[in-house]
Amino acid sequence: VTNQEEINELKKTAANAAAATLEDNQIVGLGSGSTATLAVYAIANRVRNGLRITGIATSEETARLARELGIPLSTLDEHGGIDVTIDGADEVELGSLHLIKGRGGALLREKIVASASTRLMIVVDESKIVERLGIRDAVPVEVVPFGWRTTAERLRGRGASPVLRKAPDGSAYLTDGGHYILDCTFDRISDAGAMGDQLDRVVGVVEHGLFIGMTSKVVIGTSEGVKILKSPRYD
Ligand code: A5P
């Protein structure tokens, strides 16, 4: 796959296939990012054709879009249990199905929603599948703005090279939760689970983009159609 248009088609293929699996009366987590957005459009189509679901959005942007498209929305506080969340990912590791998420800026609400979901269905195009996480690009780490340089130093001590994410106007990028993001590259992540635990223990870190053991199913748009990877822990 070479060009953006082709990639968009593959994203759409995955998004449509995922939306097709939804059933009446489900509580559905709505992901963020370009692929998850295509899934929101596909879900809205099904809602227009009579599907009855309630959506829980993982970002302000997704909430706005879902509302505009007529998907009934609720909150996690009203519906503690989500049946299935459909979300994108930046990297999906073959075998483990561990993820890197958050390069689009949403990760904290995504992780809260994913962990409240019985199933996490990931929609990606084939370019997102990797042999090993974190080689290609950074792990986004969401941090409290207060003392962020100190937090960055602590992350450096754990092998990361953190870079403060900037908004287009050059100011620090702010997440929906009002936090900063430090994009952390690593020479090597030999154990993503252990790295996730380490990042969790750094004071000032709110959340990180390593999603370990959360994926139930990956719906991949490929040039040969849809491919599915399932976690062995789910049927
Ligand atoms: C949102 O910040 C992310 O976690 C996205 O799910 C991830 O970045 C994938 O986004 P794309 O579908 O736009 O690549």
Side-chain angles (χ1 to χ4, degrees):
V1 181
T2 46
N3 67 50
Q4 205 47 51
E5 228 165 82
E6 258 178 279
I7 289 196
N8 271 339
E9 277 313 305
L10 300 185
K11 287 180 179 181
K12 212 180 278 175
T13 309
N16 289 343
T21 65
L22 296 182
E23 293 166 12
D24 274 335
N25 304 318
Q26 282 183 322
I27 308 293
V28 180
L30 305 173
S32 301
S34 60
T35 320
T37 294
L38 292 170
V40 171
Y41 277 101
I43 294 166
N45 247 332
R46 290 208 54 203
V47 167
R48 268 192 296 277
N49 289 318
L51 177 73
R52 290 194 317 270
I53 56 124
T54 302
I56 311 270
T58 55
S59 63
E60 296 295 337
E61 204 176 321
T62 294
R64 219 173 298 125
L65 178 68
R67 225 172 276 128
E68 214 177 277
L69 295 176
I71 301 175
L73 287 183
S74 186
T75 63
L76 195 50
D77 295 323
E78 250 167 273
H79 294 277
I82 297 176
D83 296 299
V84 58
T85 289
I86 300 179
D87 203 349
D90 302 298
E91 295 183 15
V92 178
E93 188 171 73
L94 267 179
S96 69
L97 305 188
H98 298 331
L99 312 170
I100 292 181
K101 287 178 58 51
R103 288 194 191 136
L107 73 101
L108 174 59
R109 293 187 190 183
E110 286 183 345
K111 203 180 260 190
I112 293 172
V113 167
S115 59
S117 304
T118 309
R119 279 160 196 277
L120 175 61
M121 197 187 293
I122 295 298
V123 283
V124 288
D125 64 86
E126 59 193 343
S127 72
K128 304 284 189 57
I129 309 296
V130 300
E131 293 283 343
R132 217 169 227 299
L133 292 182
I135 288 177
R136 201 187 267 185
D137 214 336
V139 177
V141 178
E142 188 160 343
V143 302
V144 174
F146 181 86
W148 71 270
R149 284 181 198 278
T150 312
T151 308
E153 271 321 301
R154 291 215 183 86
L155 289 167
R156 224 180 279 285
R158 283 166 178 73
S161 304
V163 174
L164 180 67
R165 193 179 297 186
K166 297 279 175 67
D169 68 0
S171 62
Y173 175 88
L174 274 188
T175 66
D176 278 347
H179 305 123
Y180 289 171
I181 290 185
L182 296 172
D183 286 303
C184 293
T185 45
F186 293 88
D187 279 345
R188 190 183 147 73
I189 301 178
S190 49
D191 180 340
M195 177 59 74
D197 288 345
Q198 280 213 41
L199 296 176
D200 278 329
R201 283 199 298 270
V202 175
V203 176
V205 167
V206 180
E207 199 42 87
H208 55 79
L210 289 168
F211 283 49
I212 306 298
M214 298 180 99
T215 310
S216 355
K217 193 172 167 182
V218 187
V219 181
I220 311 166
T222 82
S223 37
E224 285 110 52
V226 174
K227 283 195 184 142
I228 307 277
L229 296 176
K230 277 185 186 169
S231 158
R233 290 178 298 111
Y234 297 82
D235 50 84

